[in-house]
Amino acid sequence: SCAYDTVIVIFYNIWRDDAEQWSTIFNALNPQSLGVLAGGFRNHSNGQYNLDSVRDYFRRVLSRDAPDSFTWGTFTSAHAVVDHILHAPAPILSSSIVCVNGHDGVGVTDSRSPRTVNSCLIHAVVMHEHQVLDDGFSVASTAICQICDIPLSRRFRYIDAPCILAFDISGVAVPPAINMTINVAGRVWTYSLRGIIYHGSGHFTARVITSSGTMWYHDGIVTGANLREEATFQRART
């Protein structure tokens, strides 16, 4: 259950900053999953359930809604959980195949037609530091430009700024920053880092960063249902 635990502890600490506002945001973004979490968090806040009970109910909801991805009793990843719950009703990114020499993806079927992405989880596996946080980013494509014979790239651009963004930076040396910005149609949006999920030896742990910058460590095996306070995030980076 550690994949669910790490996700829930981070989202709960976001929600508790302003329960009314974040309940509205959660329900608008994804009522089938985040809305369920908001309801569970409210019940926990009222003393009706502990977070373990909220987690177990949430797992049953995901198992019912996406049984192939969240089969009850089997291992799942924090990535899969986050990707599922951060599926937005409107596109977050658009993408198209491009040639760095300006050949516009010649020879690639449907290369001129943009595709859209509705997930608020940005896959940063092959990106460079800070590249994903600007007005867009590019990833390598297996297609080859038929004019200059070099690999084409898939160019992503932000077309919306959701209230929550997550980044998968597994396998990439991208140090997290406390504040991150994206550019959408000339307007800059700033995001504050609120959690980091780690994976190793088949186990997920997390660090939670509060709105004041205090950092807490969560490991279901070591800390149980509790969090262990650490240094502020800025101090921890020095």
Side-chain angles (χ1 to χ4, degrees):
S1 64
C2 57
Y4 301 93
D5 289 335
T6 53
V7 173
I8 285 175
V9 73
I10 290 172
F11 277 81
Y12 174 66
N13 278 275
I14 293 172
W15 176 87
R16 68 199 299 260
D17 279 349
D18 189 328
E20 292 298 330
Q21 180 184 34
W22 282 107
S23 291
T24 300
I25 292 171
F26 281 15
N27 277 286
L29 184 58
N30 190 330
Q32 287 76 27
S33 52
L34 278 178
V36 169
L37 270 185
F41 293 158
R42 187 175 298 281
N43 290 334
H44 169 69
S45 181
N46 293 337
Q48 294 178 261
Y49 303 107
N50 58 30
L51 282 180
D52 286 345
S53 297
V54 173
R55 175 204 63 204
D56 291 342
Y57 178 72
F58 181 62
R59 289 182 65 182
R60 288 193 291 271
V61 169
L62 293 191
S63 179
R64 179 197 64 202
D65 292 346
D68 292 339
S69 301
F70 305 105
T71 304
W72 186 264
T74 62
F75 175 85
T76 193
S77 68
H79 177 108
V81 176
V82 173
D83 194 34
H84 184 83
I85 68 177
L86 289 186
H87 186 82
I92 306 301
L93 297 163
S94 67
S95 74
S96 58
I97 294 291
V98 298
C99 172
V100 296
N101 291 324
H103 294 139
D104 199 24
V106 174
V108 179
T109 302
D110 200 30
S111 64
R112 298 173 186 269
S113 301
R115 300 177 183 176
T116 58
V117 179
N118 284 55
S119 177
C120 301
L121 173 60
I122 309 301
H123 301 256
V125 176
V126 292
M127 300 167 197
H128 303 294
E129 181 177 358
H130 301 310
Q131 182 186 20
V132 74
L133 306 177
D134 198 1
D135 61 340
F137 54 92
S138 298
V139 298
S141 168
T142 57
I144 302 296
C145 178
Q146 293 186 356
I147 295 179
C148 59
D149 199 36
I150 65 170
L152 298 168
S153 297
R154 180 165 290 279
R155 175 66 178 171
F156 291 85
R157 292 190 180 277
Y158 296 102
I159 56 178
D160 191 17
C163 292
I164 300 175
L165 279 175
F167 299 92
D168 182 346
I169 57 173
S170 55
V172 182
V174 181
I178 192 65
N179 292 308
M180 297 171 279
T181 61
I182 66 170
N183 190 318
V184 181
R187 181 175 178 181
V188 175
W189 298 83
T190 300
Y191 292 81
S192 297
L193 183 65
R194 298 302 305 270
I196 307 170
I197 296 175
Y198 306 88
H199 179 258
S201 302
H203 182 55
F204 293 97
T205 59
R207 282 189 167 89
V208 175
I209 299 95
T210 67
S211 54
S212 64
T214 303
M215 188 161 60
W216 299 77
Y217 177 69
H218 170 79
D219 182 336
I221 295 176
V222 176
T223 64
N226 300 314
L227 299 178
R228 186 178 68 208
E229 185 175 1
E230 298 184 321
T232 63
F233 183 74
Q234 293 290 3
R235 286 175 53 197
R237 282 174 54 86
T238 60

